[in-house]
Structures are given as structure tokens and as C-alpha cells.
């Protein structure tokens, strides 16, 4: 992608493009922010702009790339000699990896104009590995840029942070996310709208998400809430608890997250607020009916009890028992 087509984090884009134009990129950057908000994409776009075959000015660098030339394509494929990505080898980034980087960084570009070293998940640099980089980070040679990508900037050594220029990246807004998905992953409008909301502004999350599984889980949970709204149908509730409790732990936690998200949507709808602020916008009508049936007071209670179960899940190993008691408890608030 080029800067022109990247969506979100406009301020960070402006800063990077200004540095490129001024030729002031031989430095160490920390790109900080939650997973999936585009930090790596920004780093690669910067590398493409600096090395793109079209429109390189005599001084400084172009502030965007063409996205089509041989260099842009090879950087996207990960086969360009002047863009190196370092990722954890196993659990950590090891000292052998950083020692190699510390040597490599001083060589002139092999084929392009400027070299880029992207350290992904930089919070997993072991202390000795990080220390071996300090001198390099302080004064990268004029033809190299180091970009450390991390979702946990606070866990980087202070000595690393003080030698780097930090840019904070944020999740995209729902509007930005919809525009991005529409342009890059065309699908039916209700799917795009739903995905933009579920992914909480994280592109990485949106592109890896399986909507059909989500919708299936959601259908089960909405049915469950329908049963609850009808009062105390003990038999059907226990059947539902049995079904949900049999899930693997991760899946069970996902379902509780989804239940919380549905309850939040129902609460919003029960107070008469606009549907724009709910997540499950593609089933807004049936949620609105359900919300009216349950009522705001009961929804608040349900949400509280569900949150309590989520918090207790860490100590309560018997998921099914916990779930049964939650559901019976919820039904009794009818
Ligand atoms: Zn290009």
C-alpha cells in the first residue's frame, strides 16, 4: 500500500512524509500501538517510498511510493535486499539476531537508496540482545533506518526508548475501517459494516476474522437470550448451558465476550439511542425487539452478572456449573 491509500493515523502519516521529504530518516523509530492497527504497514510503506523507482527526487526522498514498480512489489513480497525484518526466534529476539543487525546496519544499501531494519514485536528483545543494539540505535549510519514495532512500548528498556523517536498509532475509527474494508476487501455492505465494528479499529483483526463462525455463535446466544426473556424455562436453559459449557476454554471465553457485546448492544437499544453505536448492526431490528422485551433494568443486571462470571472464570474451573448457575440466575431476574 502507498501512503495515499493507507487509512487512519493521519498525523503519523504527515510526520513520516515530512521526514522523508527532508531526507531525515536515518534514525531509530518506535512505532507503538495496539496489535493490528497498521504499524508494520506504515513501516513498509516508508521503506517503499524511500526506494521506489518512480519519482525519486535529487534530494531527500519521495514522500510516497507508486506501489507497482519492481521495488515496491519486492518489498511487499519480502524479497528486497534493503528491507530486513527481524522477528522473535521462538519466544524472544535473540542476541545472535541483534549482533547480525548491528553489523549489517553499517553496510551501504545493496540495491536501493536506503536500508530499513524492522524489528517486529520489539518488546520481546532479551535484555542482552537489546544492550547489544544500544550503540547502533544511537547513531544509525546515514543510509539506514531502524523501526521497532511494539504493542508494549513500556516494556522496552529506558535506554532504548531514550535513543528512539516514538510514534503512537491508534485503532481506526469505525468510519475509517469501513472505508478501508470497502476499498481492499469488497464484500456485501452488511458484512463490511459488521466487521468494521467487531474489529475495534484493528485492520489485522478484521482481515483474519471468520464472520460465518461469529454469526453462528451469535445466533445461538441470541436464541438463549430469547429464552431468558421469556422467563424461567429451566429445561431449555440447562440444555443451552450444557451446549455452551462443553466448549473448549478459548471458545467459551469468546462466547462470553460475544454475550457481553450483545448485552451492551441491547442496553444501548433499550435506552432508545441510535443504532450507529451498536456493534451487531446487521441484526439491529431483532435486537431492538429483544431489548424492548427485556427492558433496561433487567439488561443492566444481566450485564453485571455476566461480567462477574467472566471475572470468576479464572478461578472457577467448572465452566458448565458456573454457566448453569449464571443462566438460572439471569432467568430469575425476570
Ligand atoms: Zn514503486
Amino acid at each position: 500500500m502507498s501512503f495515499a491509500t493507507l487509512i487512519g493515523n493521519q498525523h503519523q502519516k504527515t510526520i513520516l512524509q515530512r521526514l522523508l521529504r527532508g531526507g531525515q530518516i536515518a534514525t531509530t523509530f518506535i512505532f507503538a500501538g495496539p496489535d493490528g492497527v497498521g504499524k508494520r504497514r506504515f513501516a513498509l510503506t516508508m521503506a517503499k517510498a524511500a526506494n521506489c523507482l518512480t519519482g525519486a527526487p535529487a534530494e531527500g526522498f519521495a514522500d510516497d511510493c507508486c506501489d507497482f514498480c519492481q521495488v515496491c512489489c519486492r518489498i511487499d513480497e519480502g524479497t528486497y535486499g534493503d528491507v530486513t525484518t527481524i522477528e522473535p526466534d521462538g519466544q524472544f529476539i535473540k542476541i545472535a539476531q541483534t549482533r547480525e543487525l548491528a553489523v549489517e546496519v553499517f553496510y551501504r544499501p545493496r540495491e536501493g537508496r536506503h536500508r530499513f531494519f524492522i524489528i517486529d514485536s520489539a518488546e520481546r528483545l532479551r535484555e542482552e540482545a537489546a544492550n547489544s543494539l544500544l550503540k547502533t540505535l544511537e547513531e544509525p549510519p546515514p543510509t539506514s533506518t531502524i523501526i521497532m514495532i511494539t504493542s508494549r512500548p513500556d516494556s522496552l528498556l529506558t535506554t532504548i526508548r531514550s535513543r528512539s523517536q516514538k510514534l503512537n498509532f491508534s485503532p481506526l475509527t469505525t468510519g475509517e475501517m469501513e472505508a478501508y474494508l470497502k476499498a481492499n476487501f469488497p464484500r456485501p455492505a452488511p458484512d463490511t459494516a459488521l466487521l468494521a465494528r467487531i474489529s475495534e479499529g484493528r485492520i489485522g483483526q478484521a482481515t483474519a476474522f471468520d464472520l460465518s463462525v461469529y454469526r453462528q455463535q451469535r445466533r445461538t446466544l441470541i436464541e438463549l437470550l430469547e429464552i431468558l426473556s421469556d422467563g424461567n424455562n429451566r429445561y431449555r436453559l440447562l440444555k443451552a448451558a450444557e451446549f455452551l459449557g462443553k466448549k473448549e476454554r478459548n471458545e467459551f471465553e469468546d462466547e462470553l465476550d460475544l454475550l457481553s457485546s450483545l448485552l451492551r448492544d441491547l442496553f444501548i437499544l433499550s435506552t432508545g439511542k441510535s443504532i450507529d453505536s451498536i456493534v451487531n448492526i446487521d441484526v439491529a431490528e431483532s435486537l431492538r425487539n429483544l431489548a424492548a422485551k427485556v427492558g433496561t433494568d433487567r439488561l443492566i443486571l444481566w450485564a453485571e452478572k455476566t461480567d462477574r462470571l467472566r471475572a470468576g472464570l479464572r478461578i472457577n474451573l467448572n465452566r458448565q456449573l458456573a454457566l448453569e448457575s449464571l443462566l438460572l440466575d439471569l432467568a430469575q431476574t425476570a
Side-chain angles (χ1 to χ4, degrees):
M1 294 189 93
S2 59
F3 279 122
T5 53
L6 274 175
I7 292 172
N9 290 294
Q10 191 54 48
H11 180 60
Q12 290 67 16
K13 192 190 288 187
T14 308
I15 293 174
L16 293 176
Q17 289 190 298
R18 196 176 56 221
L19 291 173
L20 279 162
R21 282 194 297 273
Q24 303 154 300
I25 57 171
T27 179
T28 299
F29 293 94
I30 294 175
F31 286 5
D35 285 333
V37 298
K39 303 183 294 295
R40 188 162 169 154
R41 241 180 310 268
F42 268 75
L44 289 175
T45 302
M46 197 179 168
K48 277 153 72 175
N51 289 293
C52 177
L53 294 176
T54 51
E59 286 193 12
F61 298 98
D63 64 5
D64 208 349
C65 60
C66 73
D67 225 11
F68 296 105
C69 73
Q70 199 200 89
V71 168
C72 285
C73 292
R74 284 176 57 212
I75 292 177
D76 280 336
E77 287 163 9
T79 56
Y80 189 62
D82 289 320
V83 178
T84 306
T85 303
I86 293 119
E87 290 171 316
D89 174 12
Q91 216 183 338
F92 293 102
I93 297 171
K94 294 175 181 150
I95 192 159
Q97 295 173 277
T98 50
R99 277 207 186 113
E100 196 182 323
L101 189 158
V103 174
E104 269 295 309
V105 87
F106 287 97
Y107 287 116
R108 294 190 53 76
R110 291 184 198 163
E111 39 184 336
R113 296 185 65 202
H114 195 86
R115 304 192 73 176
F116 283 81
F117 296 87
I118 299 170
I119 306 182
D120 210 342
S121 308
E123 70 280 357
R124 292 205 259 158
L125 271 168
R126 292 205 92 131
E127 191 169 340
E128 48 169 9
N131 280 329
S132 78
L133 271 183
L134 287 182
K135 187 117 193 70
T136 319
L137 298 181
E138 197 157 39
E139 292 170 70
T143 52
S144 288
T145 297
I146 300 169
I147 302 175
M148 306 187 131
I149 293 177
T150 181
S151 56
R152 294 193 289 127
D154 295 344
S155 57
L156 296 179
L157 295 180
T158 325
T159 42
I160 287 196
R161 278 184 275 152
S162 66
R163 286 165 170 81
S164 312
Q165 184 175 348
K166 185 171 151 214
L167 292 186
N168 289 315
F169 290 76
S170 320
L172 274 61
T173 64
T174 304
E176 288 171 341
M177 197 68 179
E178 277 198 71
Y180 173 84
L181 291 173
K182 220 155 135 187
N184 296 285
F185 302 92
R187 36 162 88 75
D191 289 8
T192 304
L194 176 62
L195 212 47
R197 284 161 179 78
I198 299 171
S199 54
E200 297 174 326
R202 294 180 290 170
I203 290 175
Q205 187 103 333
T207 50
F209 204 84
D210 188 338
L211 266 188
S212 63
V213 172
Y214 178 85
R215 285 205 166 105
Q216 204 178 337
Q217 287 180 335
R218 188 178 64 182
R219 208 172 307 129
T220 311
L221 288 171
I222 292 178
E223 274 171 27
L224 178 66
L225 291 169
E226 296 275 3
I227 301 173
L228 284 169
S229 74
D230 281 338
N232 199 348
N233 186 333
R234 206 181 162 91
Y235 173 74
R236 289 179 71 192
L237 279 179
L238 291 180
K239 271 275 168 241
E242 196 183 319
F243 173 72
L244 290 170
K246 278 197 182 120
K247 299 284 167 75
E248 292 295 319
R249 191 181 182 89
N250 282 349
E251 212 186 339
F252 183 68
E253 281 173 16
D254 282 353
E255 300 219 332
L256 278 186
D257 286 345
L258 180 49
L259 180 60
S260 290
S261 145
L262 283 171
L263 288 172
R264 197 164 50 233
D265 284 355
L266 288 169
F267 172 75
I268 291 170
L269 292 171
S270 78
T271 59
K273 283 205 188 105
S274 140
I275 63 164
D276 285 342
S277 41
I278 70 169
V279 172
N280 295 284
I281 195 156
D282 56 327
V283 288
E285 265 325 297
S286 60
L287 290 182
R288 202 201 296 278
N289 294 336
L290 185 56
K293 208 151 83 175
V294 182
T296 310
D297 291 347
R298 228 178 354 150
L299 283 166
I300 292 174
L301 261 175
W302 286 8
E304 277 173 12
K305 287 171 192 267
T306 307
D307 283 348
R308 217 171 300 147
L309 173 72
R310 284 169 56 167
L313 200 64
R314 272 172 235 114
I315 39 174
N316 191 342
L317 291 177
N318 193 330
R319 295 196 294 273
Q320 189 158 342
L321 264 187
L323 195 65
E324 277 175 17
S325 71
L326 171 76
L327 293 180
L328 291 174
D329 200 10
L330 294 188
Q332 263 145 30
T333 63

